Amino acid sequence: MATRFLTLADVSEILNVSGAQAYSLVRSGDLPAIQIGGRLQWRVEATELERYIERMYAETRARTVAQDAEQH
């Protein structure tokens, strides 16, 4: 069975970013997450991470197309 929830360490490893950057994505709301347990540790649902990645691909494409249009 695939893991449903990821730790911020998992997220930072998957995205190849620092733990602080993963935390910032969650705190800003860019990457939806929940807090669980007595220590309120952050967990990101794997499907939310995939949605975030797809959204970043779409935003990057749109930005690149706009930049290309400005240059021509």
Side-chain angles (χ1 to χ4, degrees):
M1 181 177 178
T3 302
R4 180 174 178 179
F5 289 97
L6 306 168
T7 64
L8 289 185
D10 296 332
V11 170
S12 65
E13 183 177 330
I14 291 167
L15 294 177
N16 197 27
V17 299
S18 70
Q21 288 171 310
Y23 179 74
S24 178
L25 288 172
V26 166
R27 291 289 297 171
S28 70
D30 286 340
L31 180 58
I34 59 172
Q35 285 186 296
I36 60 166
R39 295 185 179 186
L40 296 176
Q41 295 179 341
W42 288 102
R43 293 295 183 266
V44 176
E45 198 163 2
T47 55
E48 290 295 340
L49 180 57
E50 289 304 317
R51 284 187 196 115
Y52 171 78
I53 292 168
E54 288 301 318
R55 195 168 62 250
M56 292 302 101
Y57 271 119
E59 288 179 17
T60 300
R61 268 191 305 276
R63 190 172 42 252
T64 319
V65 167
Q67 289 171 348
D68 287 347
E70 289 176 4
Q71 293 176 356
H72 294 103

